[in-house]
Each structure stands twice: as C-alpha cells, then as structure tokens.
C-alpha cells in the first residue's frame, strides 16, 4: 500500500467515480496486480485515463511501453490508439506477462498489442535492429535505475513530434537529494539531467498526490 493521506484517496475516488468509470476488464486488470511481482504498482485509474488522453491529443497510433505488469496501463493505451493502432509493451517477468496477456484478451485488445518478455533494453535493441517503424508515444514505467537507458532507447525508436512520459519521478520528494544512494532516485535524477541537456527535447515535470501517494511524472516532447 502506498503512503497516502486519506483526503488524497478520497479526492482520487471522487474524480474516478465522476469522470473515469472503470469497466469490468479494467477492474479485473487492476485487481490482478496482486498476482504479479509488484502488487499495487499499476497507475491509478485517473492516471491511466490521462495517458489515454495524451495519446489521443497527440494523435498517437503507435505506442511503446516499458513495464507491463498486469497490463492495466497497457489496456488504457491500447484502447486509446484504436483498432488500427498498435502497442508494444516490454515486460521482464514471465509471471507478469502471463497475467497481462490474460487481461489484454479479456479487454478485447490483445490483437493490437505485442507483449514481449525479457529484459526491456534487449527487447528495445531488437526493435531498433529490426528497423521498427517509429513510435508516436512512449510510456516509461519500469525499473527506475534504468531510466536513462530507457530514454536513450526511446530516442532511437521515436521521431520528431513523439511524446515520452516517465512515471514515478518524485519518489516522495527524494528526487531533490543530490547525494541520494538510492539507485531509483539516482536513475530519475540522471534521466532528468539527460532530458535537460538534449536540445532535441522539451519537457516539464509535475508533482502528484493521490491514491498512489506523493509522486509525479515527466512529459517530454521530441522537437527534432
């Protein structure tokens, strides 16, 4: 369970009940997270809807996702790209991939999702080597120490105009500590520095509070 103020949870519940009703497939996917190696690590429902809205606003038809778990965010993304769209999602653990595959079938989006199991960087390298068509939207939500490498891979697999979203960048405020020995914090700080130093990219980061505690995300647009 994430450390979260009761008021934050109540606000999230109100927003979800009012604006983001989950159908049976999403509810099942969220609950099935308990069968993965990281229970309750999926995005909140209103965050999933935000990803879907960003996809729609950017006109994304091809999406790359680092980190699948039970496939909760994958369902949001697959629905956002539509029947003619495509999602490639990369998951390290076979146990999680099996749970996700069942959830994608249940949601009726399995045919538009390529679920690849194994180290995400290796899978991304295979996509690059295969000359894969560029992705319009990338969601990075996997092991945080690898964030810089995931960004580099994303840049090899996108084009000008593509959008990249990186989750969990606040770490309960720990991101501000330049002397942190936490590899997850160091991964976030390094990827943010890499983004700031890359003139191909423009970005912002936002703090969030809610059912998932105090955290936040970075939104990046590739300008060239």
């Amino acid at each position: 369970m994430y450390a979260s103020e009761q008021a934050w949870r109540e606000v999230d519940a109100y927003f979800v009940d009012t604006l983001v009703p989950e159908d049976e497939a999403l509810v099942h996917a969220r609950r099935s997270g308990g069968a993965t190696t990281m229970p309750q690590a999926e995005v909140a429902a209103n965050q999933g809807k935000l990803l879907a809205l960003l996809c729609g606003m950017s006109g994304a038809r091809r999406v790359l996702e680092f980190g699948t778990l039970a496939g909760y965010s994958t369902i949001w993304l697959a629905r956002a790209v539509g029947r003619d769209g495509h999602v490639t999602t990369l998951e390290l653990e076979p146990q999680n991939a099996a749970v996700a595959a069942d959830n994608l079938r249940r949601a009726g989006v399995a045919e538009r999702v390529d679920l690849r199991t194994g180290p995400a960087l290796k899978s991304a390298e295979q996509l690059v080597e295969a000359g894969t068509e560029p992705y319009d939207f990338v969601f990075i939500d996997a092991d945080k120490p690898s964030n810089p490498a995931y960004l580099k891979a994303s840049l090899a697999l996108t084009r000008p105009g593509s959008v990249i979203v990186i989750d969990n960048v606040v770490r309960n405020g720990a991101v501000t500590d330049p002397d942190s020995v936490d590899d997850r914090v160091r991964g976030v700080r390094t990827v943010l520095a890499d983004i700031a130093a890359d003139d191909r990219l423009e970005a912002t980061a936002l703090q969030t509070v809610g059912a998932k505690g105090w955290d936040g995300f970075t939104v990046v647009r590739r300008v060239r």
Side-chain angles (χ1 to χ4, degrees), residues 43 46-51 54 137-141 144 147 163-171 175 188 191-192 195 203-209 212-220:
V43 300
N46 49 346
Q47 295 169 342
K49 182 63 175 289
L50 176 62
L51 291 173
L54 289 172
F137 189 95
V138 180
F139 181 44
I140 299 176
D141 189 18
K144 310 312 169 187
N147 274 347
V163 174
I164 301 169
V165 176
I166 305 173
D167 201 13
N168 306 126
V169 299
V170 172
R171 318 299 309 176
V175 70
V188 170
V191 79
L192 293 178
I195 292 167
T204 190
L206 298 173
Q207 301 181 76
T208 59
V209 296
K212 295 296 178 179
W214 178 23
D215 215 321
F217 56 90
T218 299
V219 179
V220 185

Side-chain angles (χ1 to χ4, degrees), residues 66-82:
F66 288 83
T68 313
L69 280 180
Y72 183 80
S73 55
T74 319
I75 294 172
W76 280 107
L77 294 167
R79 289 176 171 177
V81 298

Side-chain angles (χ1 to χ4, degrees), residues 27-223:
V27 171
H28 184 274
R30 176 165 48 77
R31 290 175 177 171
S32 71
T36 70
T37 58
M38 292 184 64
Q40 299 181 328
E42 74 282 344
V43 300
N46 49 346
Q47 295 169 342
K49 182 63 175 289
L50 176 62
L51 291 173
L53 286 172
L54 289 172
C55 277
M57 291 172 182
S58 62
R61 287 295 175 265
R62 289 180 52 77
V63 172
L64 176 62
E65 179 182 46
F66 288 83
T68 313
L69 280 180
Y72 183 80
S73 55
T74 319
I75 294 172
W76 280 107
L77 294 167
R79 289 176 171 177
V81 298
R83 292 187 180 277
D84 296 328
H86 176 84
V87 176
T88 301
T89 184
L90 312 179
E91 172 56 45
L92 173 64
E93 300 291 346
Q95 172 184 339
N96 301 341
V99 174
D102 179 68
N103 288 330
L104 295 171
R105 287 191 294 269
R106 182 184 294 266
V109 297
E111 74 284 351
R112 70 189 77 161
V113 178
D114 177 13
L115 172 55
R116 300 193 173 207
T117 306
L121 282 178
K122 182 176 180 180
S123 295
E125 289 169 2
Q126 291 170 345
L127 292 170
V128 173
E129 292 169 359
T132 302
E133 181 182 346
Y135 291 95
D136 309 308
F137 189 95
V138 180
F139 181 44
I140 299 176
D141 189 18
D143 61 303
K144 310 312 169 187
S146 297
N147 274 347
Y150 294 151
L151 175 67
K152 184 177 179 180
S154 297
L155 292 175
L157 289 163
T158 53
R159 55 170 178 75
S162 294
V163 174
I164 301 169
V165 176
I166 305 173
D167 201 13
N168 306 126
V169 299
V170 172
R171 318 299 309 176
N172 286 313
V175 70
T176 61
D177 181 5
D179 300 316
S180 176
V181 296
D182 187 326
D183 286 343
R184 296 166 298 179
V185 174
R186 294 169 68 89
V188 170
R189 288 181 61 91
T190 299
V191 79
L192 293 178
D194 290 347
I195 292 167
D198 194 324
D199 62 7
R200 295 172 295 176
L201 306 175
E202 59 180 9
T204 190
L206 298 173
Q207 301 181 76
T208 59
V209 296
K212 295 296 178 179
W214 178 23
D215 215 321
F217 56 90
T218 299
V219 179
V220 185
R221 179 173 178 267
R222 181 169 178 172
V223 296

